[in-house]
Amino acid sequence: MTEAPASAQTVVAFEEVKDLIGKNLGTSAYREITQGQVDLFADATDDHQWIHVDPERAKDGPFGAPIAHGFLTLSLLIPMWGELFDVTGVKTKVNYGLDKVRFTSPVKVGSRIRMTAVIAEVQEVKGNGLHVVADLTIEIEGQERPAVIARFLSRLYA
């Protein structure tokens, strides 16, 4: 099977961001979820539930393998967002928050995920800024149901 390449990064000037409303930014590259990542995330968040960090016990669990923390999967939206989108002429970029986050399918260790993004809204904000709303889907390779669906909010300041 030949893997489809990641989409080219969309790069626009600050003044052109509003023109992207409704635009699909494409698909990031796949990235594998490893047990090492899961263990580091467990240490960082003090969430050592066996379904994540005990591969032997997880084999007999509900998913047949250890799974990534939902918030680990969600946190990977940041590097995948960077693969898909950049804006020139910006002094500051801020992750503003998330709306409507759903963890719709577990991500087994060893799985590969990628993300698609669509710019849903762009609004001007004080301080020569833009509030950007993007609808994101984090997909699991070979599965119909995605891992995460979320609305990502960011701010750009020129």
Side-chain angles (χ1 to χ4, degrees), residues 68-119:
H69 302 74
F71 285 107
L72 167 58
T73 305
L74 181 65
S75 71
L76 293 172
L77 79 84
I78 297 302
M80 292 186 283
W81 176 250
E83 286 179 39
L84 295 177
F85 185 57
D86 196 17
V87 180
T88 60
V90 173
K91 292 180 184 173
T92 304
K93 300 174 184 176
V94 178
N95 299 325
Y96 192 74
L98 297 158
D99 283 338
K100 301 177 185 176
V101 177
R102 299 292 183 267
F103 301 110
T104 55
S105 189
V107 178
K108 293 180 183 180
V109 168
S111 296
R112 295 185 341 144
I113 62 171
R114 67 181 183 178
M115 187 177 81
T116 61
V118 176
I119 301 293

Side-chain angles (χ1 to χ4, degrees), residues 33 38 51-52 61-71 73-74 102-113 138-149:
I33 301 300
V38 171
I51 196 71
H52 306 300
F63 307 108
I67 60 170
H69 302 74
F71 285 107
T73 305
L74 181 65
R102 299 292 183 267
F103 301 110
T104 55
S105 189
V107 178
K108 293 180 183 180
V109 168
S111 296
R112 295 185 341 144
I113 62 171
I138 298 177
E139 304 171 343
I140 306 167
E141 184 178 38
Q143 292 190 24
E144 187 175 317
R145 192 172 173 99
V148 178
I149 299 170

Side-chain angles (χ1 to χ4, degrees), residues 12-76:
V12 297
F14 180 81
E15 299 77 18
E16 300 171 326
V17 173
K18 285 185 180 180
D19 297 337
L20 297 178
I21 296 171
K23 179 175 172 49
N24 184 329
L25 299 177
T27 306
S28 71
Y30 276 111
R31 55 183 57 232
E32 184 177 351
I33 301 300
T34 68
Q35 187 64 54
Q37 286 175 303
V38 171
D39 293 342
L40 285 171
F41 192 85
D43 289 342
T45 60
D46 202 21
D47 179 357
H48 294 90
Q49 185 181 19
W50 64 269
I51 196 71
H52 306 300
V53 299
D54 187 340
E56 287 305 311
R57 185 173 175 194
K59 285 180 188 176
D60 295 325
F63 307 108
I67 60 170
H69 302 74
F71 285 107
L72 167 58
T73 305
L74 181 65
S75 71
L76 293 172

